[in-house]
């Protein structure tokens, strides 16, 4: 049996009460016998239950769906009569951004994100007696994780021990997934609310201020496969009822809008599955998150954690909580409240890997301990580079990896790009739609979660290893850091990689290449076109993509409707899942909370572009970016700034930017920048053409043609990689040239007002031009070009 069915067997064998209906040793023997590669016999007392689970396991996805309830009863009479219920619990941290970005210091941001990550991947699985498997061969490190998990179980049992210690009720197979800040797990029916309370309490106990929510409910065995059923199963609305009522608005809102009888059967089968009971849990989750009472649940989360203060007490400088520590042994004197010192300590742990707390914290007599967890850089090295020796050699380039340290501040990352950094925020596209249409069983949920996590992490790792190198600090003048000029650092900061969410900080000059590669590698890994690790004799590739995410097309590919850059050279996106990315390139002095607001807006814009392109056959990734050289550059939202400052309606409709871009277009933008460098296009004229865009279409075309004609070299590259690649007319066999403009007829827009219009990549191109690394090319300089006309 797979782990999901072992979990179901455990819940059924436990029964509906708080005391197991069989001795706990019988349940353990059953579990051992059901696990793979076991030669043990199933105890006689639970053989009937195991046979029921085997019958349940034999149900196929679509072939065994009964069209009537009578057939359901006849075909699965044993399962129909099963009265023991199975618990299912769903939990997650909430208001994560509020907690993580409460402080503006990267140390505490790293610590807040790492602490939530530790709870999700170490603490909660430890409830189920599952020890975190570190990617390390060091025996002492593995032992430390075992000790930490034992301490977590002890905390669980001290707080939840009525009738049975909660850790004795739970086994590792009960976990469906625990990743991305979320957990979904089976549980014996009588302990559903205990487990939900334990999840919420653990978040509060460890973070003090982070919000979390967990809910649970009980279901019959048949509901795990065929969705929600009435208490009296015969009263459940089934397929015949749906055929009669499918046109009612409330039914359409629940099941969808099928076109014919075949589609009606398909959407009904899709909805009546495990997906329906997870939807019920999601509804309960939102109700409890909003502070509403959940029937049968004694605990409440209506009152978030509050810390009393006083007008004459010293504050911590973050959320003005009362300070409990004054530390003068850091780079500068610091006041900590208890929540902020936990963030700082965990960020310090993620930075240096030392499990011991500093002496100043031990002297405070506070009892909380940060524990141990791998930093993202440790995982980058151990999980990825050690298994990809060619990329390891490329990344380090002969440098001893032990001499490269984690960047302690964003200033050190910006040192690799003249004081500028880039925030990259990515999120998956079509995740909810794929789950609703394709995921029908707990096993599929488990595999999907694993696949997305692997694709996300390895896409980031590959993008970083391909585009970055360890950086030597120079010209640094920082008092808050232990690092000095000449030290080597990893020039990136991974704030979080959770589920399909990514938030990283990289040098500005490599931001777009990294963003494009993340999107491309994410799809390539899911399509199994890109290996997770190199095939090496000493490495067993245990991690692999399990699902099939390749699209099946029934319409021809029409790239001209999708891509503005060399559409005929574009490859069709074939993956059902993709990523949208928001990129903010900004100076190091931009406040983090302000930067976070902007990248949220950029990500939303990229997602809107992906949504518009989907009806014309594009399922790939999109990227929106913005360069921010002044903190006061945007006083409103990105959308309003572009509408008011970068959109003109007289004499023609002009849009002075072209973002967001598809991944293919983003690659074209980088190619066009390379062409400008090849042509040695004078920088002063780049800016002058940009300033003249506002004067109208013809003025900009005339100025561009004038400067282009006077170039001494690179004309052919500029013509092929910019003019013909971007600026050809929409109509075929039209030999005209619109450079630097592109024509948009508004075919993708619902609101046609303001269309047709002319848009240009020139402003986007100039904005990032100076951030890109100089190409090392030899050749004579262009002659000076007059700026006047």
């Amino acid at each position: 049996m797979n782990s999901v069915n072992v979990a179901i067997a455990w819940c059924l064998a436990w029964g509906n009460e708080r005391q197991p209906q069989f001795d706990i040793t019988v349940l353990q023997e059953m579990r051992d016998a059901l696990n793979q590669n076991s030669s043990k016999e199933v105890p006689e007392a639970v053989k009937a239950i195991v046979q029921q689970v085997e019958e349940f396991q034999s149900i196929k996805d679509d072939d065994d769906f009964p069209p009537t309830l009578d057939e359901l009863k006849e075909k699965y009479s044993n399962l129909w009569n099963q009265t023991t219920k199975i618990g299912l619990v769903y939990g997650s941290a909430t208001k994560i951004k509020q907690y993580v970005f409460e402080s503006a210091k990267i140390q505490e941001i790293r610590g807040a994100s790492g602490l939530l990550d530790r709870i999700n991947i170490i603490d909660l699985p430890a409830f189920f007696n599952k020890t975190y498997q570190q990617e390390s061969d060091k025996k002492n490190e593995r032992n430390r994780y075992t000790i930490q998990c034992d301490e977590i179980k002890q905390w669980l049992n001290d707080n939840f021990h009525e009738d049975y210690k909660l850790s004795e009720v739970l086994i590792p197979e009960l976990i469906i997934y625990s990743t991305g800040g979320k957990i979904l797990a089976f549980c014996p029916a009588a302990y559903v609310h205990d487990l939900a309370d334990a999840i919420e309490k653990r978040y509060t106990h460890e973070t003090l201020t982070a919000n979390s929510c967990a809910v649970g409910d009980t279901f019959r065995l048949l509901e795990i496969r065929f969705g929600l059923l009435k208490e009296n199963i015969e009263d459940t609305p089934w397929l015949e009822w749906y055929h009669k009522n499918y046109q009612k608005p409330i039914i359409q809102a629940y099941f969808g809008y099928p076109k014919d009888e075949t589609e009606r059967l398909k959407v009904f089968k899709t909805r009546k599955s495990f997906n329906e009971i997870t939807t019920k849990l999601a509804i309960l989750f939102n109700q409890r998150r909003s502070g509403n009472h959940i029937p049968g649940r004694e605990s409440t989360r209506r009152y978030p954690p509050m810390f009393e203060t006083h007008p004459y007490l010293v504050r911590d400088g973050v959320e003005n909580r009362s300070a409990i520590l004054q530390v003068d042994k850091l780079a500068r004197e610091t006041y900590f409240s208890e929540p902020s010192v936990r963030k700082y300590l965990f960020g310090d742990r993620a930075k240096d890997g030392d499990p011991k707390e500093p002496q100043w914290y031990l002297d405070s007599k506070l009892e909380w301990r940060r524990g141990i967890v791998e930093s993202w850089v440790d995982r980058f090295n151990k999980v990825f580079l050690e298994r990809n020796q060619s990329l390891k050699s490329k990344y380090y380039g002969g440098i001893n990896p032990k001499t490269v340290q984690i960047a302690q501040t964003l200033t050190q990352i910006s040192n690799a790009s003249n004081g500028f950094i880039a925030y990259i925020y990515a999120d998956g596209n079509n995740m909810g739609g794929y789950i609703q249409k394709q995921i029908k069983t707990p096993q599929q949920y488990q595999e999907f979660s694993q696949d997305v996590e692997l694709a996300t992490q390895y896409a980031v790792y590959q993008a970083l290893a391909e585009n970055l190198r360890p950086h030597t600090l120079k010209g640094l003048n920082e008092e808050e850091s232990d690092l000095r000029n000449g030290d080597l650092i990893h020039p990136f900061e991974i704030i979080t990689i959770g589920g399909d969410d990514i938030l990283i900080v990289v040098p500005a000059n490599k931001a777009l290449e990294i963003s494009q590669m993340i999107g491309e590698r994410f799809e390539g890994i899911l399509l199994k076109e890109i290996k997770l690790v190199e095939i090496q004799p000493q490495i067993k590739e245990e991690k692999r993509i399990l699902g099939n995410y390749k699209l099946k097309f029934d319409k021809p590919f029409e790239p001209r409707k999708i891509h503005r850059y060399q559409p005929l050279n574009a490859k069709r996106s074939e993956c059902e899942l993709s990523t949208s990315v928001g990129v903010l390139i900004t100076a190091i002095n931009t406040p983090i909370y302000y930067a976070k607001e902007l990248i949220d807006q950029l990500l939303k814009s990229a997602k809107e572009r992906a949504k518009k392109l989907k009806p014309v056959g594009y399922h790939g990734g999109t990227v929106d970016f913005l360069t921010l050289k002044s903190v006061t550059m945007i006083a409103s939202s990105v959308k309003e700034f572009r509408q008011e400052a970068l959109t003109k309606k007289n004499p023609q409709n002009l849009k002075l930017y072209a973002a967001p871009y598809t991944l293919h277009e983003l690659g074209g933008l980088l190619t066009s920048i390379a062409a400008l460098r090849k042509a040695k296009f004078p920088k002063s004229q780049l800016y002058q053409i940009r300033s003249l865009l506002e004067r109208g279409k013809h003025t900009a075309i005339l100025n561009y043609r004038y400067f282009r004609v006077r170039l001494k070299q690179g004309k052919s590259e500029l013509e092929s990689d910019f003019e013909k690649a971007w600026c050809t007319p929409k109509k075929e066999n039209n030999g005209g040239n619109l450079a630097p403009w592109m024509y948009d007829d508004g075919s993708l827009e619902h609101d046609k007002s303001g269309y047709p219009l002319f848009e240009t990549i020139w402003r986007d191109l100039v904005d990032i031009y100076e951030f890109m690394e100089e190409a090392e090319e030899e050749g004579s300089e262009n002659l000076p070009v007059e700026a006047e006309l």
Side-chain angles (χ1 to χ4, degrees):
M1 285 189 180
N2 57 45
S3 62
V4 168
N5 290 309
V6 173
I8 292 174
W10 178 272
C11 294
L12 293 177
W14 188 283
N16 290 326
E17 305 302 325
R18 296 186 69 87
Q19 293 288 343
Q21 57 182 332
F22 305 101
D23 190 84
I24 192 73
T25 57
V26 174
L27 272 66
Q28 291 290 359
E29 290 175 8
M30 177 195 71
R31 177 196 168 212
D32 293 340
L34 294 180
N35 278 322
Q36 295 179 357
N37 302 323
S38 174
S39 58
K40 296 180 180 179
E41 289 290 331
V42 174
E44 189 68 30
V46 293
K47 277 190 175 180
I49 292 174
V50 172
Q51 289 173 357
Q52 284 185 326
V53 177
E54 288 174 342
E55 182 181 358
F56 173 82
Q57 186 178 8
S58 68
I59 301 175
K60 305 299 181 184
D61 286 351
D62 290 323
D63 299 338
D64 292 341
F65 192 92
T68 66
L69 290 174
D70 290 338
E71 290 187 39
L72 177 64
K73 183 176 182 180
E74 181 181 352
K75 195 168 188 179
Y76 306 111
S77 57
N78 289 334
L79 307 184
W80 180 284
N81 296 320
Q82 174 60 259
T83 58
T84 302
K85 291 195 172 183
I86 300 166
L88 189 66
V89 174
Y90 171 70
S92 170
T94 62
K95 298 184 179 179
I96 295 174
K97 296 172 188 175
Q98 174 181 305
Y99 174 72
V100 171
F101 292 95
E102 186 177 66
S103 170
K105 296 181 179 179
I106 189 61
Q107 178 95 334
E108 294 182 19
I109 291 174
R110 180 196 293 131
S113 176
L115 186 51
L116 293 179
D117 193 39
R118 193 209 74 191
I119 295 171
N120 187 231
I121 67 173
I122 295 181
D123 294 23
L124 300 187
F127 289 1
F128 298 81
N129 298 280
K130 184 176 182 180
T131 302
Y132 177 67
Q133 299 296 319
Q134 187 192 30
E135 298 288 342
S136 172
D137 294 325
K138 297 180 180 179
K139 185 177 180 180
N140 61 328
E141 290 187 5
R142 292 200 302 271
N143 289 340
R144 287 206 300 267
Y145 277 100
T146 302
I147 294 171
Q148 180 168 332
C149 291
D150 289 341
E151 292 172 350
I152 295 168
K153 286 191 290 183
Q154 185 60 50
W155 173 89
L156 179 69
N157 293 332
D158 289 343
N159 287 275
F160 299 89
H161 53 262
E162 184 181 348
D163 297 317
Y164 249 90
K165 292 179 180 179
L166 190 52
S167 70
E168 296 179 1
V169 179
L170 306 174
I171 58 173
E173 290 83 356
L174 293 171
I175 301 174
I176 298 175
Y177 66 79
S178 180
T179 183
K182 301 177 177 64
I183 183 170
L184 181 66
F186 290 113
C187 175
Y191 288 89
V192 163
H193 296 321
D194 294 67
L195 179 56
D197 287 341
I199 292 170
E200 291 182 354
K201 188 166 186 174
R202 188 63 184 178
Y203 274 101
T204 302
H205 180 269
E206 292 298 300
T207 67
L208 298 179
T209 56
N211 285 269
S212 64
C213 183
V215 294
D217 205 347
T218 58
F219 305 93
R220 280 172 288 199
L221 183 56
L222 273 179
E223 291 180 297
I224 302 297
R225 177 57 191 89
F226 296 112
L228 297 175
L229 302 170
K230 294 283 189 181
E231 189 65 32
N232 183 9
I233 300 180
E234 287 88 347
D235 297 335
T236 303
W238 207 248
L239 195 55
E240 183 180 356
W241 166 87
Y242 177 60
H243 283 311
K244 293 179 180 178
N245 298 279
Y246 74 93
Q247 291 182 322
K248 294 181 178 179
I250 192 171
I251 305 300
Q252 290 177 329
Y254 191 74
F255 286 96
Y257 301 85
K259 298 177 183 178
D260 51 38
E261 186 174 348
T262 302
E263 283 197 14
R264 289 203 297 272
L265 179 59
K266 183 177 180 180
V267 298
F268 188 81
K269 287 181 178 180
T270 301
R271 170 60 76 176
K272 299 301 292 184
S273 64
F274 183 70
N275 206 351
E276 189 173 32
I277 66 176
T278 58
T279 301
K280 181 180 180 180
L281 287 184
I283 294 170
L284 290 173
F285 181 89
N286 290 329
Q287 290 175 350
R288 183 167 175 82
R289 181 180 181 178
S290 301
N292 296 307
H293 176 67
I294 302 296
R297 189 89 175 267
E298 295 181 2
S299 62
T300 178
R301 65 180 304 279
R302 294 178 187 174
Y303 309 105
M306 300 292 289
F307 288 81
E308 293 184 4
T309 186
H310 189 277
Y312 298 107
L313 293 179
V314 177
R315 311 300 179 88
D316 66 356
V318 178
E319 280 294 305
N320 289 324
R321 299 188 182 97
S322 298
I324 62 168
L325 282 178
Q326 178 185 358
V327 182
D328 56 7
K329 296 182 181 180
L330 302 177
R332 63 173 59 181
E333 188 176 71
T334 306
Y335 291 92
F336 288 114
S337 63
E338 192 164 2
S340 65
V341 77
R342 293 187 180 189
K343 292 180 182 180
Y344 178 88
L345 285 174
F346 206 89
D348 194 53
R349 163 69 186 91
K351 176 189 70 178
D352 58 26
D354 187 359
K356 296 181 180 179
E357 283 76 11
Q359 189 60 44
W360 58 262
Y361 180 76
L362 297 176
D363 293 341
S364 72
K365 306 303 180 183
L366 292 173
E367 297 180 355
W368 183 84
R369 296 293 179 262
R370 59 187 174 183
I372 52 176
V373 70
E374 288 176 303
S375 70
W376 282 111
V377 172
D378 286 339
R379 296 181 222 180
F380 173 66
N381 278 312
K382 296 174 184 176
V383 176
F384 183 69
L385 291 183
E386 289 298 331
R387 299 186 175 194
N388 294 271
Q389 290 298 315
S390 60
L391 275 178
K392 181 181 180 180
S393 300
K394 183 177 181 180
Y395 178 76
Y396 284 110
I399 297 173
N400 183 354
K402 295 181 180 180
T403 65
V404 185
Q405 303 182 60
I406 297 176
Q408 296 183 6
T409 65
L410 294 184
T411 301
Q412 293 167 4
I413 297 175
S414 72
N415 191 253
S417 186
N418 297 321
F420 285 85
I421 57 175
Y423 295 89
I424 298 178
Y425 186 24
D427 188 44
N429 295 327
N430 195 38
M431 297 293 171
Y434 183 87
I435 290 173
Q436 289 181 1
K437 294 179 180 178
Q438 305 294 339
I439 306 298
K440 300 176 183 177
T441 67
Q443 183 70 21
Q444 290 174 341
Y445 259 91
Q446 196 173 65
E447 294 175 355
F448 174 76
S449 173
Q450 176 185 326
D451 289 349
V452 171
E453 181 183 24
L454 287 177
T456 303
Q457 289 186 13
Y458 279 81
V460 173
Y461 294 154
Q462 290 184 15
L464 294 176
E466 289 278 5
N467 292 283
L468 297 178
R469 303 291 176 269
H471 172 70
T472 303
L473 294 174
K474 52 190 175 182
L476 196 65
N477 184 21
E478 273 194 312
E479 297 181 357
E480 297 186 12
S481 171
D482 298 329
L483 300 180
R484 295 292 178 260
N485 291 322
D487 290 339
L488 285 165
I489 63 165
H490 296 283
F492 61 85
E493 175 72 42
I494 300 176
I495 296 176
T496 184
I497 306 176
D500 61 333
D501 287 345
I502 300 165
L503 180 57
I504 61 177
V505 182
V506 299
N509 57 1
K510 288 294 184 179
L512 297 187
E513 290 97 327
I514 291 172
S515 300
Q516 181 192 16
M517 187 168 287
I518 287 173
E520 292 176 343
R521 295 298 169 90
F522 178 81
E523 297 175 37
I525 290 171
L526 287 178
L527 291 174
K528 304 175 186 176
E529 297 173 350
I530 298 174
K531 294 286 186 181
L532 294 176
V533 298
E534 295 172 352
I535 303 300
Q536 301 177 48
Q538 69 272 26
I539 293 177
K540 295 180 180 179
E541 186 178 356
E542 298 175 355
K543 297 180 179 180
R544 59 189 179 89
I545 299 300
L546 301 173
N548 180 15
Y549 301 96
K550 192 164 186 176
L551 285 163
K552 296 179 180 179
F553 299 101
D554 54 6
K555 294 181 181 179
F557 182 39
E558 299 180 281
R560 289 182 179 274
K561 294 182 178 180
I562 301 169
H563 302 289
R564 296 164 290 183
Y565 170 78
Q566 293 186 346
L568 298 182
N569 293 339
K571 180 183 176 182
R572 189 169 197 173
S573 56
E574 298 180 331
C575 187
E576 289 202 55
L577 307 177
S578 62
T579 57
S580 287
V581 186
V583 183
L584 178 68
I585 298 174
T586 184
I588 187 58
N589 59 355
T590 302
I592 291 180
Y593 66 87
Y594 179 61
K596 186 63 177 66
E597 288 294 324
L598 293 180
I599 55 175
D600 282 341
Q601 297 173 36
L602 292 168
L603 176 62
K604 182 179 179 182
S605 172
K607 281 186 167 291
E608 289 175 353
R609 177 70 177 174
K611 188 176 181 180
K612 289 178 182 178
L613 291 172
K614 191 172 181 180
V616 293
Y618 182 70
H619 299 269
T622 52
V623 178
D624 195 0
F625 69 89
L626 181 72
T627 58
L628 189 67
K629 299 179 182 178
S630 170
V631 175
T632 58
M633 179 178 169
I634 296 180
S636 58
S637 68
V638 172
K639 185 175 182 180
E640 289 178 356
F641 167 72
R642 286 172 169 173
Q643 288 176 343
E644 295 175 6
L646 303 180
T647 304
K648 307 296 178 183
K649 295 187 178 181
N650 188 23
Q652 302 98 356
N653 292 325
L654 301 177
K655 196 170 78 169
L656 309 184
Y657 65 98
Y661 296 88
T662 64
L663 297 180
H664 173 70
E665 290 172 344
L666 186 61
L669 184 68
L670 297 173
T671 301
S672 298
I673 292 175
L676 285 176
R677 292 199 175 279
K678 174 76 173 179
K680 296 190 180 295
F681 207 104
K683 188 179 290 187
S684 61
Q685 311 315 324
L686 288 173
Y687 291 113
Q688 182 167 350
I689 293 175
R690 183 181 67 176
S691 66
L692 293 173
L693 293 174
E694 300 180 6
R695 298 192 183 181
K697 170 189 169 187
H698 296 99
T699 302
I701 291 176
L702 179 61
N703 275 270
Y704 172 79
R705 299 299 298 177
Y706 172 74
F707 293 128
R708 178 200 176 282
V709 140
R710 300 193 62 181
L711 291 175
K712 189 172 181 180
Q713 67 179 51
K715 290 182 181 179
S716 60
E717 289 86 353
L718 195 60
E719 181 180 12
S720 61
D721 294 330
F722 175 63
E723 296 172 13
K724 291 183 179 180
W726 290 96
C727 305
T728 53
K730 293 292 184 182
K731 293 183 179 179
E732 298 185 34
N733 302 320
N734 185 332
N737 190 318
L738 296 172
W741 299 101
M742 301 178 292
Y743 179 75
D744 184 1
D745 59 7
S747 58
L748 298 177
E749 305 294 332
H750 293 295
D751 182 6
K752 303 293 183 182
S753 59
Y755 289 87
L757 57 74
F758 292 91
E759 60 184 354
T760 178
I761 69 165
W762 196 265
R763 175 176 289 274
D764 298 337
L765 187 149
V766 173
D767 283 346
I768 63 173
Y769 183 87
E770 63 185 86
F771 294 112
M772 311 306 291
E773 292 182 341
E774 292 283 352
E776 295 181 2
E777 296 192 23
E778 297 181 3
S780 59
E781 296 287 334
N782 288 313
L783 293 174
V785 181
E786 296 294 333
E788 300 175 1
L789 276 178

